[in-house]
Amino acid sequence: MPQQSPLDIPEGDPFGPHNLPYGVFSTAGEERRRIGVRIGGYVLDAGAAAAALGSPYAGLLGQPSLNPLLAAGRTAWKDVRRALTAWVTDPGHRPSVEPHLLPLEDVVLHLPYEVADYVDFYASEHHATNVGKMFRPDGDALTPNWKHLPIGYHGRAGTIVVSGTDVVRPAGQRKAPADPAPVFGPSVKLDIEAEVGFVVGTPSEQGRPVALADFEEHVFGLFLLNDWSARDIQAWEYVPLGPFLGKSFATSVSAWVTPLEALDAARVAPPTRDFPLLPYLDDSGADRPGGFDLHITVSINGQEVAQPPFASMYWTAAQQLAHMTVNGASLRTGDVYGSGTVSGPETDQRGSLLELTWNGRDAIELTDGKRTFLEDGDTVTLTAWAPGADGTRVGLGEVAGRIVGTR
Amino acid sequence: MPQQSPLDIPEGDPFGPHNLPYGVFSTAGEERRRIGVRIGGYVLDAGAAAAALGSPYAGLLGQPSLNPLLAAGRTAWKDVRRALTAWVTDPGHRPSVEPHLLPLEDVVLHLPYEVADYVDFYASEHHATNVGKMFRPDGDALTPNWKHLPIGYHGRAGTIVVSGTDVVRPAGQRKAPADPAPVFGPSVKLDIEAEVGFVVGTPSEQGRPVALADFEEHVFGLFLLNDWSARDIQAWEYVPLGPFLGKSFATSVSAWVTPLEALDAARVAPPTRDFPLLPYLDDSGADRPGGFDLHITVSINGQEVAQPPFASMYWTAAQQLAHMTVNGASLRTGDVYGSGTVSGPETDQRGSLLELTWNGRDAIELTDGKRTFLEDGDTVTLTAWAPGADGTRVGLGEVAGRIVGTR
């Protein structure tokens, strides 16, 4: 009997060699940040393994951030993934690879990329309809532009934090309709938005749009994202220029970026479009479907509260990229964009407490009490999986964050 | 008679030793970027001069970007300015300093800082009132929140360009009310917004607001900013999440950052407030007035079209900084924020063509023809001055950009 190896991954493990997400880690003994690749319950020190194996990618993988790898472009992404797959599957490589595997519980995970710009979209028809019904009850739930373009806005890149970072409850102005003037204080409607984020690798030139078909040339991978939202601050501030302080205090992202290549089997067609799309957004003749069949779970203090289905999103990530650049706006390595809250058609598929509690009207029951919005001490965790090849599942890295009181 | 020196600055020069704005330059002969300080019609190679003089700031000034100086904090800003002032005014320093002066026309100017996040405000009551009257004619011109908080939103940091960079006309969706569906094409309502930008030096911690009184601890200086705007794209996209592609294609900034210290004599009280302000925004007891008496001129193809007075802005830069961080959002070195379009009460004080032509209804006359919005080939230039001590004027670096056709 050969000795048990960390590379003897149990069948069905969602972090098997078909997945191989990238992150950045350090250890208590060595604070230097370095690129890690998750395999089973372990993290491969990718740069060290590459050096041990004499790989030409030892330089790219020996960095303290994913940005150089992201900037290297799609051919490099494919080559590196092919090499990593061989290292973790070929028994001949084990003696070189095994010394560079660390148990997941022994590493500290960091924000894996330096964020350039951050854009957040609003691409779930179910979410936008729910919000429209609550906030604009006298008008149409969807604004007239909603099915003609993927609505988005810029968010604050500097407050994106990695999973596990505490989130300080924001203070700010709020004004109920009956209040004579706004009042100031800690948000009383602190919420989540369960989203999927995308990170750009290959940059583009200012003045030159990126075509729908070039999505995979520019976008490296995806990850779970929690767009924390203070609904009371947002409601008072957002007309006419959009969300600002209701969102900018923190956005949490997973420590693990799943490369798009790992999600080939998860591609699904987006919903039928209700209006003809302008050519730059028309994906009806695309080579492969633009949606991703990601199954998300939202938990509060370990208790599941919703299962938003990413496959139900009206606008795809490729359409969002094409739209974001159609005016000539350039892309930079490290640009991040969020899908917008993922909500499905069912009440238990809603990706925000705003929708789950209908703006606080219908509390949800947790074992530790009722919730309308988040309380100090609550921990919110998003997890997800996607179908892989041959009946496997591809696990996405979780994103978790705990609320702490306003300082 | 001593020989004429570049440091014999004519009296009344707005770029005399009382000003000393910072930039980053290279030359045809030496492409290496380095920090320059403008003095009269010359640029001082600040790092080289510092090295020649044995200054302890040779390292900080010998960088390819202002960011390390910005990050060094207010004490360093004051010390460096004191040293520079001595170098350009003390005749004993001339032999060391003069070899490092280059004629302005011999240098190439670059974006002087790496932009972290970019926020744009909406702080002129006259501008917001004009826009409200045009776009929401049936309601109040100002939204109910306008006089309670400085409305702002995040813009695209990656498309901020230095003065002199051509601006490609953006294409996008637009839809006139009578159109059955949106159409796509180059913007037909390309506009400017004359603004003042501020750049953050000292960062702040996530979760900890920055107080109104700490403005000068965090903000290094200011500069002119042109927030190019495609009004047709903006009008169709901006409800409900604010401006996105109508703005994100380009924002032009001056190559020169004027340190706040150079503007001590330009401080003025902001307009009387019509509503009591919440404590975090209340500047009625401030040590010094929060406004800046900057006199801006907008020119198209060299012809003056407006003179917006920055002193008329309702919200100050200190209030904007306090608001932007009151929810715990952190500041990073290189964060840039714009004042919002500067428009005064008079028709020739309006900082956008939208207002100057009342959304295209009343064309303005230039010597080369009428204009409602910008045509390809048009060059827009913003210039400004502020009062200095003893009747001097402090010149701000211009920001210019030429429109080129959609690619």
Side-chain angles (χ1 to χ4, degrees), chain A residues 115-122 136 143-146 148-161 168-173 175 180-184 205-209 233-234 236-251 278-281 323-332 335 407, chain B residues 115-122 136 143-146 148-161 168-173 175 180-184 205-209 233-234 236-251 278-281 323-332 335 407:
Chain A
V115 182
D117 270 300
Y118 168 46
V119 167
D120 197 26
F121 285 94
Y122 189 55
R136 293 175 290 276
T143 52
N145 52 9
W146 202 93
H148 294 284
L149 53 82
I151 292 176
Y153 66 100
H154 285 89
R156 193 161 186 85
T159 51
I160 292 182
V161 297
V168 178
R169 180 181 297 271
Q173 295 194 25
K175 183 182 168 300
V183 297
F184 181 86
E205 187 191 341
Q206 200 161 349
R208 304 248 180 227
I233 296 172
Q234 186 183 354
W236 169 234
E237 76 178 357
Y238 91 103
V239 176
L241 299 186
F244 184 36
L245 298 185
K247 303 277 195 173
S248 66
F249 57 97
T251 304
L278 285 162
Y280 79 96
L281 292 173
H323 185 62
M324 185 161 46
T325 60
V326 74
N327 67 344
S330 46
L331 299 175
R332 291 183 294 171
D335 280 348
R407 283 172 186 163
Chain B
V115 183
D117 270 300
Y118 168 46
V119 166
D120 197 27
F121 285 95
Y122 189 56
R136 292 175 290 275
T143 49
N145 52 9
W146 202 93
H148 294 283
L149 54 81
I151 292 175
Y153 66 100
H154 285 88
R156 193 163 186 83
T159 52
I160 292 183
V161 296
V168 178
R169 181 182 296 272
Q173 294 194 26
K175 183 180 169 300
V183 297
F184 183 86
E205 186 190 342
Q206 200 161 349
R208 304 248 179 226
I233 296 172
Q234 186 184 350
W236 169 233
E237 76 178 357
Y238 91 104
V239 176
L241 298 187
F244 184 36
L245 298 185
K247 303 277 194 172
S248 65
F249 56 95
T251 303
L278 285 163
Y280 79 95
L281 292 173
H323 186 62
M324 186 161 46
T325 60
V326 76
N327 67 344
S330 46
L331 300 173
R332 291 184 294 171
D335 280 348
R407 285 173 184 161

Side-chain angles (χ1 to χ4, degrees), chain A residues 37-310:
Chain A
V37 173
R38 182 163 169 183
I39 176 77
Y42 290 81
V43 176
L44 176 67
D45 183 334
L53 287 155
S55 163
Y57 293 109
L60 214 49
L61 292 171
Q63 300 289 328
S65 150
L66 292 180
N67 283 54
L69 174 62
L70 299 181
R74 192 178 179 195
T75 301
W77 306 339
K78 284 176 173 287
D79 287 351
V80 169
R81 182 171 166 82
R82 194 178 303 119
L84 285 165
T85 304
W87 302 346
V88 298
T89 56
D90 181 343
H93 287 314
R94 286 196 173 183
S96 302
V97 171
E98 285 179 351
H100 305 292
L101 290 166
L102 296 95
L104 195 50
E105 57 271 24
D106 290 353
V107 307
V108 178
L109 294 166
H110 303 280
L111 190 64
Y113 35 74
E114 294 126 42
V115 182
D117 270 300
Y118 168 46
V119 167
D120 197 26
F121 285 94
Y122 189 55
S124 159
E125 180 174 2
H126 307 291
H127 170 70
T129 301
N130 288 334
V131 172
K133 282 181 186 166
M134 276 183 267
F135 289 131
R136 293 175 290 276
D138 301 327
D140 292 332
L142 295 183
T143 52
N145 52 9
W146 202 93
K147 291 200 170 176
H148 294 284
L149 53 82
I151 292 176
Y153 66 100
H154 285 89
R156 193 161 186 85
T159 51
I160 292 182
V161 297
V162 72
S163 176
T165 307
D166 283 348
V167 171
V168 178
R169 180 181 297 271
Q173 295 194 25
R174 61 177 183 271
K175 183 182 168 300
D179 291 341
V183 297
F184 181 86
S187 171
V188 296
K189 289 192 174 181
L190 184 54
D191 197 1
I192 58 158
E193 295 197 335
E195 303 196 17
V196 175
F198 295 82
V199 63
V200 170
T202 308
S204 72
E205 187 191 341
Q206 200 161 349
R208 304 248 180 227
V210 172
L212 199 57
D214 289 337
F215 169 66
E216 287 166 279
E217 297 298 325
H218 291 276
V219 172
F220 173 78
L222 58 73
F223 48 86
L224 291 170
L225 181 153
N226 185 347
D227 175 31
W228 305 96
S229 298
R231 301 300 178 189
D232 43 355
I233 296 172
Q234 186 183 354
W236 169 234
E237 76 178 357
Y238 91 103
V239 176
L241 299 186
F244 184 36
L245 298 185
K247 303 277 195 173
S248 66
F249 57 97
T251 304
S252 296
V253 295
S254 175
W256 297 105
V257 179
T258 305
L260 294 188
E261 277 194 89
L263 296 166
D264 282 346
R267 292 298 191 101
V268 287
T272 307
R273 279 67 171 78
D274 297 325
F275 291 89
L277 295 176
L278 285 162
Y280 79 96
L281 292 173
D282 184 359
D283 60 358
S284 57
D287 285 345
R288 58 197 312 191
F292 290 92
D293 186 21
L294 311 178
H295 301 251
I296 303 171
T297 296
V298 181
S299 302
I300 300 179
N301 302 333
Q303 195 171 344
E304 292 188 12
V305 299
Q307 292 79 31
F310 192 66

Side-chain angles (χ1 to χ4, degrees), chain A residues 9-32:
Chain A
I9 313 291
E11 205 167 329
D13 189 313
F15 292 96
H18 61 303
N19 188 343
L20 302 180
Y22 294 88
V24 167
F25 74 97
S26 62
T27 59
E30 189 178 356
E31 290 188 8
R32 186 174 57 88

